[in-house]
Amino acid sequence: MGLKSFVEVPRESHFPLENLPFGIFRPKPSPGAAAEAARPGVAIGDFVLDLSAVAAAGLFDGPVLRGSECFFQTSLNIFLEMGRPAWKEARSTLQKILSADEPILRDNANLREKSLLPMIEVEMLLPIVIGDYTDFFSSMHHAKNCGTIFRGPENAIPQNWFHLPIAYHGRSSSVVISGTDIIRPRGQGHPTGNSPPYFGPSRKLDFELEMAAIVGPGNELGKPIDVNEAADHIFGLVLMNDWSARDMQAWEYVPLGPFLGKSFGTTISPWIVTLDALEPFACAAPKQEPEPLPYLTEKKRINYDIPLEVWIKPKGYDLPSIVTRSNFNHLYWTLTQQVAHHTINGCNLRSGDLLGTGTISGPEPESLGCLLELTWNAQKPLALSGLTRKYLEDGDEVIFTACCKGKDYNVGFGTCTGKVLPASS
């Protein structure tokens, strides 16, 4: 039996008492009214619990959170920086006050009305101030497929890939919340013959199915994070669509890597699902050959069994079509290895930093995490609602979702969505 809340939680909800993901919201304003301040909340069923109201009522009375201002902020950064003792205390308190047999909130009609808001009546915002954003390349299936497409099967995966979690530094200013439209980027593409490079709207706009870790406490400059302590620096995970202009990316990435082909937009889901909530879904990570260097060798290698789906809804269609079913457990390099490698040179992570996993592809044709792979770089068009797609077209809406299946409950992430708009003139 799952945990029981006094708040009605539909059976298929992503947000039962076992989950309680954190986000930042504000109530949708009434016509003519000024917008209210953004503040932290957790999802419970079809409601958002306002943590500022709960804190103002004195219900966070444990030794770590008592008197803290962390839930009166417009981002979660201060709460994240407080670390695992604060996260565990908050989760324990919230599960208690939302439980069916606890009267402190259940029987307080005034506080209940202040603190529980229907999700349809709120606007979700970026949950964190993102100082830095790093994107890894941690799926072996994705690396092999991309390498085969561009370099052939004999040179598919470079030698260094098996020794370190490759990554690049992304652009945090263009990270947006789910539901934000994405304007098709303009830029250069490969020249044809002796002509100048193509310039104009991207002709190969793609999605990338990723997740991202949200950094809690950071580390001091010059002091790396031990791989076996790295989990204490990860608050939780979000869904992430790292939109990619494949034609622009292919022309620009040698010798320094992605730039304009990636920096025009990255979408994340609004709810951060904590590692504590994901703990029941921990699983063994793939065996690594060769064995990594000592600073990347873990006492226990953990991945998570998180089923992932991608849907595309073309312009003018009422229903989306599923195009991908993958799983977080396909990642070759773990989250903790990514953190350890990121900091081994002394780089300082900070609260709210975003660490993308890279595209998460599986071994099966239906588990590929982007159109580059699904269409083999437009050589095999993808069937979609009676249409075909080589790459995304204007008006297409891309929808990611993820949901772990427990016994009589789910731990889900909601959705991560974005619609493609025409390029600016």
Side-chain angles (χ1 to χ4, degrees):
M1 277 292 288
L3 301 177
K4 181 68 175 172
S5 172
F6 72 84
V7 179
E8 184 178 352
V9 178
R11 183 174 180 82
E12 295 305 312
S13 173
H14 284 203
F15 308 125
L17 206 52
E18 288 87 350
N19 191 351
L20 300 181
F22 289 76
I24 293 289
F25 77 98
R26 63 183 172 207
K28 293 177 181 176
S30 304
E36 294 188 38
R39 60 259 206 186
V42 297
I44 176 70
D46 295 328
F47 291 84
V48 176
L49 180 68
D50 184 341
L51 298 185
S52 68
V54 173
L59 300 191
F60 290 110
D61 59 356
V64 181
L65 290 172
R66 186 184 301 118
S68 172
E69 295 292 310
C70 66
F71 295 132
F72 298 99
Q73 311 298 317
T74 57
S75 79
L76 290 168
N77 290 56
I78 290 178
F79 175 57
L80 269 55
E81 195 169 4
M82 295 174 73
R84 191 162 300 284
W87 310 339
K88 284 188 171 293
E89 186 174 290
R91 178 174 172 81
S92 174
T93 299
L94 292 168
Q95 285 188 326
K96 178 182 177 182
I97 68 173
L98 286 167
S99 67
D101 56 0
E102 171 56 57
I104 195 166
L105 180 58
R106 182 195 67 194
D107 296 348
N108 187 332
N110 184 49
L111 182 57
R112 227 176 38 244
E113 185 178 357
K114 284 182 183 178
S115 61
L116 280 168
L117 293 81
M119 278 193 188
I120 59 172
E121 296 180 7
V122 307
E123 175 188 6
M124 299 305 299
L125 307 171
L126 282 174
I128 47 178
V129 176
I130 304 169
D132 284 295
Y133 156 46
T134 303
D135 195 31
F136 284 87
F137 190 47
S138 294
S139 163
M140 183 168 64
H141 303 292
H142 176 62
K144 183 178 180 179
N145 289 331
C146 292
T148 300
I149 289 170
F150 292 115
R151 295 185 297 275
E154 65 281 356
N155 296 307
I157 304 180
Q159 181 185 8
N160 65 344
W161 193 91
F162 290 99
H163 292 275
L164 57 88
I166 294 172
Y168 73 94
H169 290 290
R171 181 75 187 174
S172 60
S173 65
S174 53
V175 178
V176 296
I177 196 67
S178 175
T180 305
D181 293 333
I182 297 296
I183 298 172
R184 182 179 296 271
R186 296 193 302 161
Q188 294 188 30
H190 268 289
T192 303
N194 294 322
S195 68
Y198 165 79
F199 176 77
S202 171
R203 296 168 171 173
K204 293 185 174 182
L205 185 59
D206 200 356
F207 65 83
E208 286 194 344
L209 174 60
E210 302 195 26
M211 300 194 79
I214 309 297
V215 174
N219 58 301
E220 291 183 35
L221 185 65
K223 295 187 177 181
I225 295 172
D226 186 281
V227 69
N228 294 304
E229 298 172 0
D232 285 337
H233 294 264
I234 301 171
F235 177 63
L237 297 177
V238 293
L239 288 166
M240 189 174 94
N241 185 348
D242 190 25
W243 306 86
S244 298
R246 299 298 188 188
D247 44 354
M248 294 162 58
Q249 183 182 359
W251 174 234
E252 73 183 0
Y253 86 103
V254 176
L256 294 182
F259 186 42
L260 300 185
K262 300 286 240 176
S263 61
F264 60 92
T266 300
T267 306
I268 64 172
S269 54
W271 295 109
I272 306 173
V273 177
T274 65
L275 292 194
D276 284 335
L278 292 171
E279 188 174 339
F281 308 97
C283 60
K287 181 176 175 59
Q288 293 184 321
E289 292 284 354
E291 186 173 317
L293 293 175
Y295 80 93
L296 291 171
T297 300
E298 303 179 273
K299 293 177 181 176
K300 188 175 183 181
R301 284 176 42 74
I302 293 294
N303 264 357
Y304 296 95
D305 180 11
I306 308 174
L308 304 164
E309 294 181 350
V310 179
W311 301 70
I312 296 178
K313 185 168 76 170
K315 182 179 180 180
Y317 281 68
D318 294 330
L319 297 174
S321 296
I322 192 165
V323 297
T324 296
R325 287 187 174 94
S326 188
N327 197 299
F328 185 90
N329 64 18
H330 294 311
L331 288 182
Y332 183 87
W333 293 103
T334 65
L335 295 174
T336 40
Q337 287 177 314
Q338 291 168 32
V339 168
H341 182 67
H342 201 313
T343 64
I344 193 60
N345 68 340
C347 175
N348 55 322
L349 298 179
R350 295 176 294 186
S351 171
D353 282 357
L354 188 73
L355 307 182
T357 59
T359 303
I360 304 173
S361 293
E364 304 299 331
E366 65 272 14
S367 64
L368 305 179
C370 60
L371 288 171
L372 173 68
E373 295 174 82
L374 286 165
T375 70
W376 213 248
N377 198 19
Q379 295 179 44
K380 302 174 182 179
L382 180 71
L384 184 71
S385 299
L387 308 171
T388 59
R389 285 288 184 272
K390 296 180 178 179
Y391 283 98
L392 295 171
E393 297 187 5
D394 292 346
D396 285 349
E397 182 180 3
V398 181
I399 304 160
F400 292 179
T401 190
C403 189
C404 306
K405 298 291 184 179
K407 186 176 181 181
D408 298 323
Y409 72 93
N410 302 317
V411 169
F413 290 76
T415 58
C416 177
T417 70
K419 182 186 292 184
V420 178
L421 299 187
S424 302
S425 57

